[in-house]
Amino acid sequence: MTIQPPTVALALQGGGSHGAFTWGVLDRLLQEVAAGTLRIGAVSGSSAGGINAALTVSGLVTGGPDIARRKLADFWQFVSRRGFLGGNALLFGEPNLFGGVNLDWSPVAIALEAMGLVVSPYTNPFYTDALAPIVSQAFPADDLAALNAPGAPVLFVGATNVATNERTVFSQPDITVDVLRASACLPTDFKSVIVGGVPYWDGGYLGNPPLSPLLDHAQDLMLLLVNAFRRDGMPPHSAPAILDRLNEITFNASVVLEINAIEAINSVLAELAASGVAYDGRYKPIRLHDVGYRTAEAWLHSHLGTIGVTSSLDVKTQLTHKVLKPPART
């Protein structure tokens, strides 16, 4: 009898160019898929995570894990080349003795950020959507057709409905270039993307990434996170560092809430099992695995065996919101 590999659902967080880190993790995980030790049942993502998710599924259905690895590599190498041409990374560093390379301190970058306070994509006479041609090139019509065909791993891409403040999660057969652009549409940089007559912004605001759609496809959720939950040396002092940390907190809020909701259901199911109460409803224990803070190689070496068995992410100590009790009255 052939032993089936454990099935995981991947949740890919968005974070701009930090999505290149997710590419590296996916590259290693796809090697396990090629070796037959892992199966990907579904993938969700928002923003850069949504594009990574779509590239992964597109590659799997058009040629398997090796093609998925190639598609991811081609995309991020192309983005890297375009990014380098947009600014000279060798000339700018943080203003201190040991400052490293950081384009945030480029005079051009600072000027563009200042302009963003008064000039929107709608009032900028030189506006162009730099992302549109990159996404269109990465997802030709034949690949989109294969991605949307029955039998492909399930794909979920999050976006934010500008008019109603609601999260929209797109899936097959409705994944298009515009959907992927909408999921990565930062409103300070891009005009909203219209899909079905509705304006959309970046999906990371309300689901970074969406987790609930994955629950019906695997009991093991592998979280590929790129925005730090915990940082040492807080609070930040410089203006760019403050803005960076604010963005991290904002884009982490939705996924923390979803993880806490999953953990609450896990706790109820565990209490029922411990008390001997039989439960045969739709809810099942969900095992969480975080590979966003360590290399995939190290994670696989230490935790591959936990898939299908237990969580490798300790939600209570790492992610759960802490409630401070008021002082006792005297």
Side-chain angles (χ1 to χ4, degrees), residues 178-223:
D178 283 346
V179 164
L180 297 174
R181 289 176 52 227
S183 182
C185 179
L186 287 172
T188 55
D189 295 331
F190 302 105
K191 295 179 181 179
S192 64
V193 179
I194 309 299
V195 179
V198 177
Y200 288 99
W201 282 345
D202 196 295
Y205 293 114
L206 296 180
N208 196 21
L211 300 185
S212 57
L214 297 173
L215 303 184
D216 292 329
H217 299 278
Q219 284 184 258
D220 288 86
L221 267 58
M222 189 172 292
L223 311 177

Side-chain angles (χ1 to χ4, degrees), residues 117-186:
L117 298 175
V118 293
V119 179
S120 83
Y122 298 90
T123 59
N124 180 1
F126 305 105
Y127 172 79
T128 58
D129 187 335
L131 186 61
I134 298 175
V135 177
S136 297
Q137 177 179 307
F139 295 94
D142 289 347
D143 285 8
L144 279 175
L147 182 155
N148 282 298
V154 184
L155 171 65
F156 300 104
V157 177
T160 298
N161 186 318
V162 182
T164 64
N165 191 41
E166 293 177 305
R167 180 173 81 177
T168 299
V169 180
F170 294 92
S171 188
Q172 296 106 324
D174 299 320
I175 303 299
T176 65
V177 167
D178 283 346
V179 164
L180 297 174
R181 289 176 52 227
S183 182
C185 179
L186 287 172

Side-chain angles (χ1 to χ4, degrees), residues 189-302:
D189 295 331
F190 302 105
K191 295 179 181 179
S192 64
V193 179
I194 309 299
V195 179
V198 177
Y200 288 99
W201 282 345
D202 196 295
Y205 293 114
L206 296 180
N208 196 21
L211 300 185
S212 57
L214 297 173
L215 303 184
D216 292 329
H217 299 278
Q219 284 184 258
D220 288 86
L221 267 58
M222 189 172 292
L223 311 177
L224 277 63
L225 306 177
V226 297
N227 298 315
F229 283 91
R230 298 177 182 273
R231 284 197 179 277
D232 297 327
M234 291 287 102
H237 291 171
S238 71
I242 291 171
L243 183 60
D244 286 346
R245 188 55 181 158
L246 178 61
N247 286 335
E248 286 177 341
I249 291 171
T250 301
F251 280 104
N252 279 336
S254 59
V255 71
V256 169
L257 291 175
E258 284 202 86
I259 289 173
N260 286 337
I262 291 171
E263 183 62 16
I265 294 174
N266 281 345
S267 297
V268 171
L269 294 176
E271 290 178 7
L272 291 175
S275 61
V277 176
Y279 173 78
D280 194 27
R282 67 180 295 264
Y283 295 107
K284 298 178 181 179
I286 299 297
R287 296 174 288 269
L288 297 168
H289 310 275
D290 170 24
V291 292
Y293 287 80
R294 56 185 66 88
T295 65
E297 183 70 38
W299 187 91
L300 288 165
H301 178 76
S302 301

